[in-house]
Amino acid sequence: MKLMVLAAAAAVAIGMAAPAAARDLPAGGLTRQEVIDWLVSRGHPARIKYDEIGKDYAVTANVDGVNWDIWFYNCSTPKAGRCQSIQYAAGWTERAGMDATKINGWNRDHRYVRGYITSSNGVFGEYDVEVSPGGSWEQLNDSLDIWLIRLKEFQTYIGG
Protein backbone atom coordinates (compact mmCIF):
# COMPACT_ATOMS: atom_id res chain seq x y z
CA MET A 1 0.00 0.00 0.00
CA LYS A 2 2.81 2.40 0.93
CA LEU A 3 4.50 1.63 -2.37
CA MET A 4 1.33 2.49 -4.32
CA VAL A 5 0.93 5.79 -2.47
CA LEU A 6 4.59 6.68 -3.12
CA ALA A 7 4.27 5.75 -6.79
CA ALA A 8 1.11 7.84 -7.13
CA ALA A 9 2.76 10.81 -5.39
CA ALA A 10 5.81 10.49 -7.64
CA ALA A 11 3.62 10.40 -10.76
CA VAL A 12 1.77 13.53 -9.65
CA ALA A 13 5.04 15.33 -8.88
CA ILE A 14 6.52 14.40 -12.23
CA GLY A 15 3.36 15.50 -14.01
CA MET A 16 3.37 18.85 -12.23
CA ALA A 17 7.05 19.44 -12.92
CA ALA A 18 6.88 18.70 -16.63
CA PRO A 19 6.93 21.81 -18.79
CA ALA A 20 3.89 22.56 -20.89
CA ALA A 21 4.31 21.48 -24.49
CA ALA A 22 4.50 24.25 -27.05
CA ARG A 23 1.68 24.44 -29.57
CA ASP A 24 3.20 24.04 -33.02
CA LEU A 25 2.27 26.36 -35.85
CA PRO A 26 0.81 24.63 -38.92
CA ALA A 27 3.35 22.79 -41.08
CA GLY A 28 4.61 25.05 -43.85
CA GLY A 29 3.91 28.30 -42.00
CA LEU A 30 0.91 30.59 -41.74
CA THR A 31 -1.75 31.95 -44.05
CA ARG A 32 -2.87 35.57 -43.98
CA GLN A 33 -6.24 34.53 -42.55
CA GLU A 34 -4.59 32.56 -39.74
CA VAL A 35 -2.56 35.65 -38.87
CA ILE A 36 -5.72 37.78 -38.81
CA ASP A 37 -7.46 35.26 -36.55
CA TRP A 38 -4.42 35.16 -34.25
CA LEU A 39 -4.17 38.97 -34.04
CA VAL A 40 -7.90 39.28 -33.30
CA SER A 41 -7.54 36.65 -30.54
CA ARG A 42 -4.80 38.86 -29.06
CA GLY A 43 -7.09 41.92 -29.14
CA HIS A 44 -5.77 43.54 -32.33
CA PRO A 45 -8.39 43.92 -35.07
CA ALA A 46 -6.75 43.27 -38.42
CA ARG A 47 -7.61 42.95 -42.08
CA ILE A 48 -6.00 41.98 -45.38
CA LYS A 49 -4.96 44.85 -47.64
CA TYR A 50 -3.50 44.99 -51.12
CA ASP A 51 -0.44 47.18 -51.54
CA GLU A 52 -0.27 48.79 -55.00
CA ILE A 53 3.43 49.60 -54.69
CA GLY A 54 4.57 46.16 -53.59
CA LYS A 55 1.88 44.35 -55.61
CA ASP A 56 1.25 42.03 -52.69
CA TYR A 57 -1.21 41.36 -49.87
CA ALA A 58 -0.40 42.17 -46.26
CA VAL A 59 -2.25 42.06 -42.97
CA THR A 60 -2.69 45.50 -41.45
CA ALA A 61 -3.42 46.46 -37.84
CA ASN A 62 -3.21 49.49 -35.57
CA VAL A 63 -2.01 50.10 -32.04
CA ASP A 64 -2.18 53.45 -30.25
CA GLY A 65 -2.83 55.24 -33.54
CA VAL A 66 0.11 53.65 -35.36
CA ASN A 67 -0.71 51.61 -38.45
CA TRP A 68 1.53 48.61 -39.02
CA ASP A 69 1.59 45.66 -41.36
CA ILE A 70 2.63 42.06 -41.50
CA TRP A 71 4.21 41.03 -44.80
CA PHE A 72 4.55 37.40 -45.89
CA TYR A 73 7.60 35.68 -47.40
CA ASN A 74 8.53 32.23 -48.71
CA CYS A 75 4.90 31.40 -49.48
CA SER A 76 3.71 28.21 -51.15
CA THR A 77 1.33 30.19 -53.40
CA PRO A 78 0.61 33.92 -53.73
CA LYS A 79 -2.06 35.47 -51.48
CA ALA A 80 -3.60 32.36 -49.87
CA GLY A 81 -0.61 30.08 -49.39
CA ARG A 82 1.27 29.13 -46.26
CA CYS A 83 4.24 31.39 -45.65
CA GLN A 84 7.42 30.43 -43.81
CA SER A 85 8.34 33.90 -42.60
CA ILE A 86 6.66 37.16 -41.74
CA GLN A 87 7.82 40.72 -41.36
CA TYR A 88 6.28 43.30 -39.05
CA ALA A 89 6.63 46.76 -40.61
CA ALA A 90 5.61 50.36 -39.93
CA GLY A 91 6.45 53.50 -41.83
CA TRP A 92 6.26 57.22 -41.35
CA THR A 93 6.48 60.00 -43.93
CA GLU A 94 9.16 62.66 -43.68
CA ARG A 95 10.81 63.03 -40.29
CA ALA A 96 12.71 66.24 -39.64
CA GLY A 97 16.12 65.65 -38.12
CA MET A 98 16.26 61.99 -39.09
CA ASP A 99 19.48 61.13 -40.86
CA ALA A 100 21.76 58.16 -41.40
CA THR A 101 23.72 58.84 -38.20
CA LYS A 102 20.58 58.83 -36.05
CA ILE A 103 19.00 55.76 -37.68
CA ASN A 104 22.32 53.91 -37.45
CA GLY A 105 22.36 54.78 -33.74
CA TRP A 106 19.02 53.05 -33.35
CA ASN A 107 20.22 49.98 -35.25
CA ARG A 108 23.41 49.82 -33.17
CA ASP A 109 21.69 50.18 -29.78
CA HIS A 110 18.44 48.22 -30.22
CA ARG A 111 17.69 44.63 -31.06
CA TYR A 112 14.87 43.22 -33.18
CA VAL A 113 13.48 46.26 -35.01
CA ARG A 114 15.81 47.66 -37.63
CA GLY A 115 15.23 51.10 -39.06
CA TYR A 116 16.03 52.75 -42.35
CA ILE A 117 15.37 55.97 -44.23
CA THR A 118 13.92 56.05 -47.75
CA SER A 119 15.02 58.39 -50.54
CA SER A 120 11.98 60.59 -49.77
CA ASN A 121 13.08 60.88 -46.10
CA GLY A 122 10.43 58.44 -44.92
CA VAL A 123 11.35 56.19 -42.02
CA PHE A 124 10.56 52.50 -41.66
CA GLY A 125 10.94 50.00 -38.84
CA GLU A 126 10.88 46.27 -39.61
CA TYR A 127 11.20 43.01 -37.69
CA ASP A 128 11.52 39.60 -39.40
CA VAL A 129 10.31 36.34 -37.86
CA GLU A 130 10.74 32.79 -39.17
CA VAL A 131 7.59 30.78 -38.44
CA SER A 132 8.45 27.54 -40.23
CA PRO A 133 9.87 25.03 -39.80
CA GLY A 134 9.55 24.59 -36.10
CA GLY A 135 7.56 27.66 -35.07
CA SER A 136 5.11 27.70 -32.19
CA TRP A 137 2.18 29.91 -31.21
CA GLU A 138 4.08 30.87 -28.07
CA GLN A 139 7.04 32.04 -30.17
CA LEU A 140 4.67 34.04 -32.37
CA ASN A 141 3.06 35.63 -29.30
CA ASP A 142 6.51 36.60 -28.02
CA SER A 143 7.42 38.15 -31.36
CA LEU A 144 4.25 40.26 -31.31
CA ASP A 145 4.95 41.43 -27.76
CA ILE A 146 8.50 42.41 -28.75
CA TRP A 147 7.24 44.18 -31.89
CA LEU A 148 4.65 46.24 -30.01
CA ILE A 149 7.16 47.32 -27.33
CA ARG A 150 9.86 48.19 -29.86
CA LEU A 151 7.35 49.90 -32.18
CA LYS A 152 6.50 52.42 -29.45
CA GLU A 153 10.19 52.93 -28.64
CA PHE A 154 11.03 53.38 -32.33
CA GLN A 155 8.22 55.87 -32.85
CA THR A 156 9.46 57.93 -29.91
CA TYR A 157 13.04 57.70 -31.18
CA ILE A 158 12.16 59.04 -34.63
CA GLY A 159 9.94 61.79 -33.21
CA GLY A 160 6.63 60.26 -34.21
Side-chain angles (χ1 to χ4, degrees):
M1 182 68 166
K2 274 185 171 180
L3 188 56
M4 289 178 58
V5 171
L6 286 174
V12 169
I14 290 170
M16 291 174 59
R23 296 173 300 132
D24 291 339
L25 292 173
L30 296 169
T31 66
R32 287 159 179 82
Q33 188 58 54
E34 287 168 336
V35 169
I36 288 173
D37 295 343
W38 163 68
L39 287 171
V40 168
S41 77
R42 296 284 315 265
H44 302 285
R47 63 181 175 79
I48 293 177
K49 75 168 189 176
Y50 182 74
D51 180 65
E52 287 292 335
I53 296 170
K55 305 291 185 211
D56 199 4
Y57 293 88
V59 169
T60 187
N62 180 296
V63 64
D64 297 332
V66 176
N67 294 322
W68 52 276
D69 300 322
I70 296 179
W71 294 95
F72 296 80
Y73 297 93
N74 302 328
C75 303
S76 58
T77 59
K79 188 180 176 186
R82 294 203 170 278
C83 302
Q84 296 178 357
S85 60
I86 62 172
Q87 180 186 76
Y88 299 98
W92 293 262
T93 55
E94 297 179 35
R95 289 287 177 240
M98 185 54 67
D99 59 20
T101 300
K102 188 168 182 179
I103 203 74
N104 287 341
W106 169 270
N107 291 332
R108 179 191 61 237
D109 297 337
H110 296 86
R111 292 182 64 200
Y112 303 106
V113 174
R114 71 180 179 283
Y116 64 92
I117 303 170
T118 66
S119 59
S120 62
N121 207 30
V123 178
F124 281 83
E126 298 175 341
Y127 172 28
D128 296 303
V129 178
E130 297 296 319
V131 296
S132 179
S136 70
W137 289 105
E138 292 78 8
Q139 171 240 353
L140 196 60
N141 288 337
D142 287 346
S143 76
L144 179 62
D145 293 343
I146 291 167
W147 167 248
L148 295 175
I149 290 166
R150 289 288 192 231
L151 179 62
K152 289 177 186 177
E153 293 172 352
F154 187 70
Q155 183 182 19
T156 299
Y157 185 83
I158 65 169

